[in-house]
């Protein structure tokens, strides 16, 4: 096995994307993704059982396509990496079972890795080595978290997280309230451009002094997020217009809602970086595609002297390339493989970058 440029196969199945990526060191060879999103549209959100069955159907074709496009065989692979958590239990089991079967059949070392840390690891595929003093802001349908990355392979710390809905989840729920369909993120981002973000001011969760505190005496939720109250405020707003028999100003509500989300996310992320000496910040997760989030975060990072790094959009969403990228770093760093005797962990903390044997 080459320790300088290991050839790693990555498998991702934590939610509704079946991802298979192949990476050689820091070079991306292929990133194959099969999404079951269309199967969840009529339900207005991801249905775990449907996602799990979709992974079963999609895995072999996606793996075959990835190997073919990369021009490599399983025999040439140095190691296999798979998402062991966090994520949907049933969906994770499909990917982990497939990875174990491949590892057993080929004799390749297997690494069970953290889905969230993999979102950070994908940065090596877009710019090479990660910088020091690095923070990460992960915003998706299932997660909204601020991380401190001291070492990608063995020292990642959680600085703040949502205590209820994730940002992407709030987008989906608000889109449903406004009759915009699923997924909510792209359509709200688009319609918000037609509205006035100042027309209706929605609450900013966990921003009162009792939650924030000070740098010297931080409050319990200084770097945490909450979007459930915001979602409720939007629901009440819509109800009021409907009760009065007035037309619901969808564009203005979308713009005001989005501004409330990105205002809190960006301000808390920048403050967390400043207080922990993080001069570099990486943005990841599906909501990283949001135009207003990118715009405001870039402006606030620039004002604070923080260098912002955003991977290409196809690498921000869940994919196998990010799993392979982190796996390659673990192999190159001499980290022992996990082996076959591990279970999925739907709540795997970021401190567990990879599961031990």
């Amino acid at each position: 096995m080459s320790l300088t440029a290991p050839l790693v196969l990555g498998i991702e199945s934590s939610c509704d994307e079946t991802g298979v990526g192949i990476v050689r060191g820091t070079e991306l060879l292929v990133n194959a993704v099969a999404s079951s999103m269309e199967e969840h549209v009529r339900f207005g959100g991801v249905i775990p059982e449907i996602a799990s069955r979709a992974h079963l159907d999609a895995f072999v074709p996606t793996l075959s396509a990835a190997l073919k496009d990369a021009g490599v065989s399983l025999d040439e692979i140095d190691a296999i990496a798979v998402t062991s958590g966090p994520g949907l239990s049933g969906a994770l089991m499909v990917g982990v079972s497939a990875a174990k079967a491949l590892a057993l059949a080929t004799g390749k070392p297997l690494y069970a890795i953290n889905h969230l840390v993999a979102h950070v690891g994908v940065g090596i595929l877009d710019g090479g080595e990660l910088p020091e003093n690095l923070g990460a802001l992960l915003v998706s349908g299932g997660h909204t978290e601020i991380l401190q990355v001291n070492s990608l392979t063995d020292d990642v710390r959680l600085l703040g997280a949502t205590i209820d809905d994730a940002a992407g989840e709030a987008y989906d729920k608000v889109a449903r309230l406004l009759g915009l369909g699923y997924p909510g993120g792209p359509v709200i981002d688009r319609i918000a451009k037609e509205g006035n973000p100042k027309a209706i001011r929605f609450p900013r969760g966990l921003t009162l002094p009792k939650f924030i505190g000070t740098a010297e005496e931080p409050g319990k939720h200084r770097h945490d997020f909450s979007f459930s109250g915001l979602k409720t405020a939007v629901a009440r707003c819509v109800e009021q217009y409907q009760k009065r028999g007035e037309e619901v100003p969808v564009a203005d509500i979308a713009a005001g809602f989005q501004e409330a989300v990105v205002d809190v996310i960006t301000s808390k992320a920048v403050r967390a970086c400043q207080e922990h000496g993080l001069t570099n910040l990486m943005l990841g997760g599906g909501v990283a595609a949001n135009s207003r989030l990118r715009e405001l975060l870039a402006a606030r990072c620039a004002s604070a002297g923080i260098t912002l790094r955003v991977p290409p959009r196809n690498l921000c969403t869940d994919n196998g390339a990010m799993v392979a990228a982190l796996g390659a770093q673990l192999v190159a760093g001499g980290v022992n493989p996990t082996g076959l005797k591990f279970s999925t962990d739907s709540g795997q903390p970021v401190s567990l970058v990879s599961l031990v044997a």
Side-chain angles (χ1 to χ4, degrees):
M1 181 191 302
S2 170
L3 292 182
T4 55
L7 184 64
V8 178
L9 172 73
I11 299 170
E12 157 63 24
S13 69
S14 66
C15 192
D16 61 341
E17 282 95 11
T18 306
V20 177
I22 300 176
V23 167
R24 179 178 282 113
T26 61
E27 177 190 2
L28 175 61
L29 301 185
V30 68
N31 182 29
V33 179
S35 175
S36 62
M37 181 180 293
E38 291 301 320
E39 298 180 48
H40 305 282
V41 169
R42 63 193 175 109
F43 301 102
V46 175
I47 306 301
E49 180 63 22
I50 293 177
S52 300
R53 291 180 180 274
H55 288 309
L56 284 170
D57 293 338
F59 179 73
V60 171
T62 307
L63 173 64
S64 299
L67 291 170
K68 181 179 179 181
D69 290 347
V72 301
S73 66
L74 283 174
D75 288 339
E76 296 174 86
I77 296 294
D78 290 319
I80 299 170
V82 63
T83 297
S84 53
L88 302 175
S89 295
L92 289 168
M93 288 179 186
V94 176
V96 166
S97 296
K100 286 183 177 181
L102 288 173
L104 184 62
T106 61
K108 306 297 182 181
L110 177 60
Y111 291 81
I113 70 169
N114 190 293
H115 171 85
L116 298 177
V117 182
H119 271 298
V120 183
V122 77
I124 69 167
L125 304 178
D126 179 48
E129 186 175 349
L130 296 179
E132 295 182 349
N133 303 318
L134 176 65
L137 173 61
L138 307 181
V139 191
S140 70
H143 306 280
T144 305
E145 302 184 332
I146 306 170
L147 310 180
Q148 179 175 344
V149 186
N150 297 322
S151 169
L152 182 63
T153 57
D154 61 13
D155 189 0
V156 179
R157 303 177 186 180
L158 181 66
L159 299 182
T162 179
I163 64 172
D164 41 57
D165 290 354
E169 183 181 5
Y171 267 88
D172 290 338
K173 290 178 178 178
V174 167
R176 190 180 310 136
L177 290 170
L178 297 176
L180 299 176
Y182 174 83
V187 65
I188 286 181
D189 190 21
R190 184 178 69 253
I191 291 179
K193 292 182 174 66
E194 303 170 8
N196 178 4
K198 297 181 180 179
I200 304 172
R201 180 176 173 82
F202 290 110
R204 271 67 169 160
L206 300 182
T207 57
L208 295 177
K210 64 179 180 179
F211 298 122
I212 296 295
T214 64
E216 294 73 25
E217 297 183 15
K220 182 180 179 181
H221 296 299
R222 185 169 180 78
H223 303 315
D224 291 333
F225 308 99
S226 173
F227 300 108
S228 62
L230 171 59
K231 174 199 65 181
T232 301
V234 173
R236 297 293 175 266
C237 179
V238 172
E239 287 175 3
Q240 288 172 4
Y241 279 99
Q242 292 173 337
K243 285 181 178 179
R244 294 195 297 263
E246 300 176 6
E247 181 180 353
V248 177
V250 174
D252 284 347
I253 291 177
F257 160 76
Q258 176 160 277
E259 198 65 20
V261 172
V262 301
D263 182 21
V264 173
I265 288 177
T266 56
S267 62
K268 290 207 171 199
V270 168
R271 180 167 57 225
C273 286
Q274 290 175 315
E275 293 181 0
H276 288 82
L278 307 177
T279 54
N280 296 280
L281 179 66
M282 176 174 290
L283 175 64
V287 185
N290 183 275
S291 62
R292 181 55 181 155
L293 175 60
R294 287 175 172 236
E295 176 186 45
L296 188 56
L297 185 60
R300 287 182 167 172
C301 281
S303 296
I306 297 169
T307 300
L308 178 63
R309 189 165 170 178
V310 185
R313 298 190 183 199
N314 66 317
L315 294 181
C316 286
T317 54
D318 295 348
N319 61 83
M322 68 184 195
V323 179
L326 179 54
Q329 292 299 296
L330 294 171
V331 174
V335 176
N336 291 328
T338 307
L340 301 176
K341 296 180 180 180
F342 70 93
S343 301
T344 59
D345 183 355
S346 60
Q348 187 171 334
V350 294
S351 56
L352 282 177
V353 177
S354 62
L355 299 183
V356 295

